[in-house]
Amino acid sequence: MHSRSTNDSRSAADVVAALGSEQGRRDPMPLFAELHRIGPVSRLTPGSSPYAFVINGYDAAQEALKDTRFHRLLSADPNPQDPVLRHLGGSMMFRDEPDHLRMRKVFQAVLTPRRLAGFEPVVEALVAELLDELGAKQEEVVDFTDFAYRLPITVIAIFLGIPRSDVAWFKDRTQRIDEYLDLGGKEPAKLAAANRAAEELNDYYARMISERRLRPRDDDRGGGAGKESDTVGSLVHALDSGTSGIDEQELIDNLLVLVNASFVTTMNLLTNGLEQLLAVPALIDALRNDPELASSYVEEILRHQSSVQLISRKASTDLELAGVAIAEGSLVLILPGAANRDPAKHPDADTFDPGREDLQHLSFGAGPFFCVGAALARMEGRAAFGQLFHRFPTLQLAGEPERSHSLLLRGHRSMPIRLG
């Protein structure tokens, strides 16, 4: 059993506690390195944390994410009264089998490779449109997080058929829910704010479903940068015909989670990536000359700066992981951000290197719970970085970027840039 190394003065429990500090949230990477020196799986001191174990090794984290004996964890109460727990817990993100697969099939049916391939020109056109708007501010200092937010939220809005005029409304509500889900976020004020946000989002999607029943639209499968698709209309039709396999509240709960998850993580991919690339001008030059490099750049950004840094699970039975015995009922903290920097998996893991031979990572999860929107996020990242530096070759930071306070979702509050 791993507890601490002879060269380390701190236990795994000390390091996990430090992750919740201001410095740990701002830069968890040195703490991840400490955990790797201790071992891939560590037992935490009883009472030091809600968790009994931390999993930070790549192979161990991948195995845990794939192993359905580790159940998803949101609340110990099977029938929570808090709206945020009730709505999140009703989605596939927080359900185990067979409910997870039953719900997942519904969204896989609309997120098909063929449909996504047809949607790529929409994403490319939207990136160009948003960069045009940035270009109108060529002489100003602008906040890149605005572009990083608007791209993924507008993409998912077009894809689902949410009016583009509504996209600004989602940001605050999503942030309140994310702050509650973060490590150490379970305080009363954050719970109350998350509950209000969840109810407002629930009401929004309920109205949207009702409107589709009253005024069905033609389903525009391809859309256009300025047009809405009607994926929600298709889902409502399947729901009412009895062929969807889910009920109306499950559809609402899954839309809530799908929209929230689809843009926050991609927003972080874009801001994390820009900060990394601006630190290595040679990479920008190479990308400007060959936009096809954007694909490997996106994968290395996801590995080096995972948007999702922590995942909670509960052992449903006694099991063993990396030689460590984990008892039934134990809560485990899985750290994808640490796993992606495991030196046993990636040589020189802390170096940002899009040319490395092995670009595997766990930023979209693994196994049966692999992120259903991964292909869309990758598409948005490729389109954004493929066009950004070609359009603004002298883009540079105009001030110090401000990291978000979240450890769960690693990104930025602001990133001032000058376009040239």
Side-chain angles (χ1 to χ4, degrees), residues 230-399:
D230 195 26
T231 303
V232 170
S234 299
L235 291 167
V236 171
H237 176 74
L239 176 72
D240 292 346
S241 65
T243 61
S244 70
I246 61 175
D247 62 34
E248 184 165 332
Q249 189 58 56
E250 288 174 333
L251 174 57
I252 291 171
D253 294 342
N254 278 287
L255 286 172
L256 188 155
V257 170
L258 181 67
V259 174
N260 284 22
S262 68
F263 78 80
V264 177
T265 52
T266 305
M267 177 181 175
N268 292 345
L269 160 66
L270 296 174
T271 63
N272 290 336
L274 181 61
E275 186 175 38
Q276 285 298 135
L277 292 174
L278 289 175
V280 190
L283 291 177
I284 295 175
D285 292 340
L287 179 61
R288 191 183 305 113
N289 293 328
D290 183 4
E292 294 298 315
L293 291 173
S295 181
S296 61
Y297 281 33
V298 165
E299 296 308 310
E300 179 67 348
I301 293 164
L302 289 164
R303 184 201 68 81
H304 192 265
Q305 294 284 339
S306 177
S307 296
V308 178
Q309 294 283 319
L310 58 93
I311 296 171
S312 301
R313 292 287 188 266
K314 182 177 182 179
S316 64
T317 186
D318 292 344
L319 51 87
E320 185 176 294
L321 185 66
V324 178
I326 298 178
E328 178 183 356
S330 297
L331 304 187
V332 302
L333 180 64
I334 306 171
L335 300 174
N340 288 341
R341 288 180 177 234
D342 183 353
K345 172 66 176 176
H346 295 293
D348 199 15
D350 288 335
T351 299
F352 182 79
D353 178 13
R356 67 174 64 246
E357 291 185 6
D358 184 358
L359 276 176
Q360 293 184 44
H361 56 78
L362 300 176
S363 297
F364 292 124
F369 301 115
F370 187 80
C371 175
V372 73
L376 195 57
R378 284 174 160 138
M379 184 189 300
E380 293 166 31
R382 289 195 306 269
F385 290 118
Q387 294 187 45
L388 181 64
F389 297 109
H390 180 75
R391 180 67 184 273
F392 304 114
T394 59
L395 185 153
Q396 59 187 301
L397 289 175

Side-chain angles (χ1 to χ4, degrees), residues 80-88 173 176-177 180 187-203 256:
Q81 297 305 304
D82 286 298
V84 66
L85 296 176
R86 196 168 65 247
H87 294 308
L88 294 180
R173 286 147 186 88
R176 283 186 262 155
I177 291 174
Y180 169 72
E187 52 191 58
K190 290 184 177 179
L191 173 60
N195 279 337
R196 289 194 299 273
E199 287 288 68
E200 289 166 357
L201 288 163
N202 178 82
D203 293 347
L256 188 155

Side-chain angles (χ1 to χ4, degrees), residues 44-45 48-53 73 183 310-313 331-333:
L44 302 180
T45 307
S48 66
S49 165
Y51 299 99
F53 297 87
L73 178 67
L183 192 68
L310 58 93
I311 296 171
S312 301
R313 292 287 188 266
L331 304 187
V332 302
L333 180 64

Side-chain angles (χ1 to χ4, degrees), residues 10 15-32 51 178-187 190 268 272 275 305-307 309-310 333 402-413:
R10 295 203 288 188
V15 179
V16 169
L19 282 171
S21 69
E22 187 65 36
Q23 176 60 30
R25 290 170 183 274
R26 187 164 54 249
D27 183 14
M29 307 312 170
L31 300 175
F32 292 164
Y51 299 99
D178 291 342
E179 287 176 354
Y180 169 72
L181 291 174
D182 196 18
L183 192 68
K186 308 302 185 286
E187 52 191 58
K190 290 184 177 179
N268 292 345
N272 290 336
E275 186 175 38
Q305 294 284 339
S306 177
S307 296
Q309 294 283 319
L310 58 93
L333 180 64
E402 182 186 354
R403 280 273 172 198
S404 68
H405 191 252
S406 175
L407 180 65
L408 169 67
L409 298 168
R410 181 167 170 77
H412 294 81
R413 288 183 184 273

Side-chain angles (χ1 to χ4, degrees), residues 141-145 396-402 414-418:
V141 172
V142 296
D143 189 345
F144 183 71
T145 62
Q396 59 187 301
L397 289 175
E400 187 69 25
E402 182 186 354
S414 67
M415 182 171 284
I417 59 171
R418 195 177 295 280

Side-chain angles (χ1 to χ4, degrees), residues 19-216:
L19 282 171
S21 69
E22 187 65 36
Q23 176 60 30
R25 290 170 183 274
R26 187 164 54 249
D27 183 14
M29 307 312 170
L31 300 175
F32 292 164
E34 278 194 65
L35 288 173
H36 289 314
R37 290 193 291 271
I38 295 169
V41 179
S42 296
R43 184 185 301 276
L44 302 180
T45 307
S48 66
S49 165
Y51 299 99
F53 297 87
V54 61
I55 303 171
N56 52 272
Y58 187 95
D59 290 343
Q62 184 178 54
E63 184 178 342
L65 290 170
K66 288 182 175 180
D67 193 336
T68 55
R69 295 177 298 172
F70 282 108
H71 284 185
R72 297 187 165 206
L73 178 67
L74 180 64
S75 170
D77 185 350
N79 297 296
Q81 297 305 304
D82 286 298
V84 66
L85 296 176
R86 196 168 65 247
H87 294 308
L88 294 180
S91 74
M92 60 181 165
M93 181 174 284
F94 294 101
R95 296 288 279 274
D96 294 304
E97 306 302 4
D99 288 335
H100 168 263
L101 182 58
R102 172 175 59 83
M103 296 178 191
R104 186 183 181 93
K105 285 180 177 178
V106 173
F107 289 88
Q108 284 179 325
V110 297
L111 288 162
T112 62
R114 182 166 176 262
R115 186 170 191 182
L116 287 173
F119 204 66
E120 190 154 9
V122 179
V123 175
E124 292 282 355
L126 180 61
V127 169
E129 176 189 322
L130 294 177
L131 292 181
D132 283 345
E133 292 181 18
L134 273 183
K137 304 174 182 178
Q138 188 90 15
E139 305 304 318
E140 304 174 29
V141 172
V142 296
D143 189 345
F144 183 71
T145 62
D146 181 60
F147 169 87
Y149 166 72
R150 291 177 64 202
L151 174 60
I153 187 60
T154 308
V155 166
I156 197 65
I158 294 170
F159 192 83
L160 293 176
I162 294 170
R164 288 184 64 173
S165 57
D166 289 351
V167 298
W169 181 85
F170 287 90
K171 191 174 184 180
D172 172 66
R173 286 147 186 88
T174 299
Q175 185 175 356
R176 283 186 262 155
I177 291 174
D178 291 342
E179 287 176 354
Y180 169 72
L181 291 174
D182 196 18
L183 192 68
K186 308 302 185 286
E187 52 191 58
K190 290 184 177 179
L191 173 60
N195 279 337
R196 289 194 299 273
E199 287 288 68
E200 289 166 357
L201 288 163
N202 178 82
D203 293 347
Y204 181 96
Y205 294 118
R207 287 195 304 272
M208 189 176 181
I209 289 169
S210 295
E211 288 167 3
R212 290 300 192 277
R213 289 194 175 109
L214 290 171
R215 291 180 292 276

